[in-house]
Amino acid sequence: MAWVLHYGELWFQVPVTIKIEVTGKLKDGVSAKDIFLHVSGTYGTEVAQYKAMEWSGPAIDDLSLDGRLCIANQSVELGAKFSLFQADQKTLDYLKGRAVRAFEPVRPDPDAKYETAYSVNASELQPLVAQPHSLEVVNPATHYRDVRINQANIGGCANGRLEDLASAARVLKGKTVHPDVRCIAGPASWRSIRRPCRQVTWKR
């Protein structure tokens, strides 16, 4: 941080790139986070150590910007220096009114070379859970039936956008939080907090 404040720039060695191609289509209840957890659980948390990650494929194209931001944010947990997604119309629409300077979308070169290419079939994924204390210990959510918890965190930097909060609200609607559980909702930005939406009341 001191370097950035003094020089206004950061120095990076140009990293090699690995490609994650995600085919198929996510089932209901399966999200972008599950794509990430599948990669971290299958290939380990050093799979992208000082590398760039390029995410592509039909399932990535289908993701909302919230979903892509989730994966981009979590990629640092894999050691990635950069997490790249192709700029499509969704991206351009999102940037309208947000971009503070002119920009030019880029695409991978037709002859782009990757250090390694991995393939994930989104159609085969199910809701996943990372077990403490590593993102490499990943199991299907059904593996953790009847597990007692003391605290539930909804949101945070990777999963605190409106799409995530709305998903949590659908699960919690009409239910109550157990008296022995502390339930914390943490929107990822002021925009997520302030954006008008239907009020949701969580009862204890």
Side-chain angles (χ1 to χ4, degrees), residues 72-200:
N73 190 299
Q74 292 272 220
S75 293
V76 69
E77 305 289 353
L78 305 177
K81 288 296 178 185
F82 306 96
S83 194
L84 309 170
F85 298 78
Q86 188 162 290
D88 57 8
Q89 192 58 48
K90 289 181 189 176
T91 311
L92 300 179
D93 291 342
Y94 179 84
L95 289 172
K96 287 179 182 177
R98 288 185 173 89
V100 296
R101 61 178 64 89
F103 64 91
E104 182 178 347
V106 296
R107 294 175 176 272
D109 296 330
D111 59 347
K113 293 181 174 59
Y114 302 95
E115 183 193 59
T116 315
Y118 300 94
S119 181
V120 175
N121 185 350
S123 302
E124 297 177 353
L125 298 183
Q126 54 185 305
L128 298 172
V129 173
Q131 178 178 314
H133 296 280
S134 172
L135 287 169
E136 292 184 349
V137 184
V138 175
N139 290 297
T142 52
H143 179 78
Y144 299 98
R145 295 182 187 276
D146 302 321
V147 174
R148 295 184 65 178
I149 63 171
N150 302 110
Q151 181 165 298
N153 291 292
I154 300 168
C157 59
N159 292 107
R161 294 174 180 84
L162 288 173
E163 184 176 283
D164 305 308
L165 299 175
S167 179
R170 284 193 294 271
V171 172
L172 292 170
K173 185 176 181 180
K175 300 180 177 68
T176 59
V177 177
H178 191 281
D180 294 337
V181 175
R182 184 184 186 202
C183 186
I184 302 170
S189 67
W190 280 110
R191 185 171 182 272
S192 294
I193 295 173
R194 293 172 174 169
R195 183 170 174 180
C197 59
R198 289 196 310 173
Q199 184 177 0
V200 176

Side-chain angles (χ1 to χ4, degrees), residues 15-129:
V16 298
T17 302
I18 63 175
K19 183 176 184 178
I20 312 287
E21 183 170 10
V22 189
T23 60
K25 189 174 183 65
L26 291 175
K27 300 173 185 173
D28 288 343
V30 183
S31 69
K33 186 63 169 274
D34 297 306
I35 295 174
F36 165 79
L37 288 176
H38 173 79
V39 172
S40 69
T42 303
Y43 303 111
T45 54
E46 295 190 0
V47 65
Q49 193 66 42
Y50 217 112
K51 299 173 185 176
M53 299 187 77
E54 181 183 308
W55 300 82
S56 64
I60 296 297
D61 295 339
D62 286 344
L63 288 179
S64 65
L65 266 291
D66 283 357
R68 296 178 199 178
L69 286 167
C70 169
I71 291 177
N73 190 299
Q74 292 272 220
S75 293
V76 69
E77 305 289 353
L78 305 177
K81 288 296 178 185
F82 306 96
S83 194
L84 309 170
F85 298 78
Q86 188 162 290
D88 57 8
Q89 192 58 48
K90 289 181 189 176
T91 311
L92 300 179
D93 291 342
Y94 179 84
L95 289 172
K96 287 179 182 177
R98 288 185 173 89
V100 296
R101 61 178 64 89
F103 64 91
E104 182 178 347
V106 296
R107 294 175 176 272
D109 296 330
D111 59 347
K113 293 181 174 59
Y114 302 95
E115 183 193 59
T116 315
Y118 300 94
S119 181
V120 175
N121 185 350
S123 302
E124 297 177 353
L125 298 183
Q126 54 185 305
L128 298 172
V129 173

Side-chain angles (χ1 to χ4, degrees), residues 1-10:
M1 183 58 70
W3 180 279
V4 174
L5 292 173
H6 183 74
Y7 293 103
E9 61 184 19
L10 278 175

